Amino acid sequence: MKIAKVWRYAVIFALLEVVAFLALSYEMREKIDRHYKQNFEYLSSSYESIFLNYKKIFEALFCSVVDNNETALILLNTLKNRAQADAQRANLLTKMSPVYFDIQKLGVKQFQFHLPDNASFLRVHEPSLYGDTLSGFRRTVYLVNRDKKPAFAFEVGRFASGFRYVFPIIRGENHLGSVEFGVGYESIMKAMQNVSGAEYALLVKK
């Protein structure tokens, strides 16, 4: 009988140990889950804030240095007479090169003008490359030229990936094309790191 009682107490004790362990494990998991959830919410908030700050900067840049009669005339002359395209491209490059020099400090890597048919008219960051179509793989450019409304997103390109801020160029009833400010993801990650002190990496699902 004494042995049976000892075993009974041993089993009860073991069960209590298991229950206590499971309770502590559950509490620990809950604590870890809350920690990850808080970090994720903070990460999302930081990302959205930085992304929107860039959006405001590029909206201001677009209005102040791109969306004007001089740029519109260059694009309009190009669309009216494609034989003038090289000369008009050179004019636009002369006009926009100082702008690109300044905005590189913001992390801008791509500064590009597109025609309404999604053809690249001028890559200010790489002026020797032009004339190729962006249809089929640059969704933001396609949407902006189709809907004539700005589009902002992370996007993978043929030459580089980054955060794209694309605006339509319109004068009256004339849709003249679009312009893109492209920020490398490194700049976004660095800004987030400066805010939180943590290190970040960008993973892209193919």
Side-chain angles (χ1 to χ4, degrees):
M1 292 295 294
K2 290 183 179 180
I3 295 175
K5 286 183 179 181
V6 169
W7 273 106
R8 187 183 309 151
Y9 292 139
V11 170
I12 292 172
F13 179 77
L15 289 174
L16 290 174
E17 284 286 314
V18 170
V19 170
F21 175 77
L22 292 175
L24 287 173
S25 297
Y26 178 79
E27 184 178 350
M28 183 62 69
R29 286 198 301 272
E30 285 285 299
K31 186 176 181 180
I32 292 172
D33 288 343
R34 286 196 302 269
H35 176 72
Y36 279 123
K37 184 178 180 181
Q38 289 171 355
N39 282 350
F40 180 78
E41 289 174 351
Y42 181 77
L43 172 64
S44 298
S45 177
S46 298
Y47 168 80
E48 289 293 336
S49 176
I50 292 166
F51 190 85
L52 290 176
N53 283 339
Y54 270 109
K55 177 175 175 285
K56 292 177 182 178
I57 290 171
F58 293 130
E59 284 175 338
L61 275 170
F62 172 71
C63 293
S64 61
V65 301
V66 174
D67 192 25
N68 54 56
N69 291 332
E70 188 176 354
T71 302
L73 184 60
I74 290 173
L75 294 174
L76 184 60
N77 288 337
T78 299
L79 294 174
K80 284 183 176 180
N81 186 357
R82 293 300 177 101
Q84 296 183 10
D86 289 343
Q88 298 298 340
R89 186 180 298 107
N91 289 340
L92 188 59
L93 179 61
T94 300
K95 173 180 167 61
M96 294 298 168
S97 289
V99 176
Y100 179 57
F101 178 79
D102 288 335
I103 63 178
Q104 285 183 85
K105 302 168 188 175
L106 299 173
V108 174
K109 290 189 173 182
Q110 292 84 36
F111 183 27
Q112 182 172 192
F113 289 82
H114 328 101
L115 297 179
D117 62 358
N118 303 321
S120 174
F121 179 63
L122 172 65
R123 290 179 172 92
V124 185
H125 58 282
E126 200 164 0
S128 62
L129 295 177
Y130 58 85
D132 54 305
T133 181
L134 304 178
S135 299
F137 63 93
R138 287 297 312 282
R139 183 72 175 171
T140 52
V141 175
Y142 167 77
L143 290 176
V144 169
N145 283 326
R146 185 193 71 180
D147 301 335
K148 303 176 183 61
K149 296 179 180 179
F152 317 107
F154 176 84
E155 192 172 44
V156 177
R158 284 186 301 186
F159 304 111
S161 302
F163 296 84
R164 319 283 188 172
Y165 300 81
V166 188
F167 301 87
I169 301 174
I170 299 171
R171 271 295 175 277
E173 297 182 355
N174 296 313
H175 171 219
L176 305 176
S178 56
V179 63
E180 166 201 343
F181 301 96
V183 180
Y185 72 86
E186 299 93 344
S187 297
I188 301 289
M189 298 298 104
K190 185 176 180 180
M192 293 175 64
Q193 185 175 345
N194 290 338
V195 171
S196 67
E199 293 187 3
Y200 299 95
L202 178 68
L203 301 178
V204 180
K205 185 177 180 181
K206 186 176 181 181

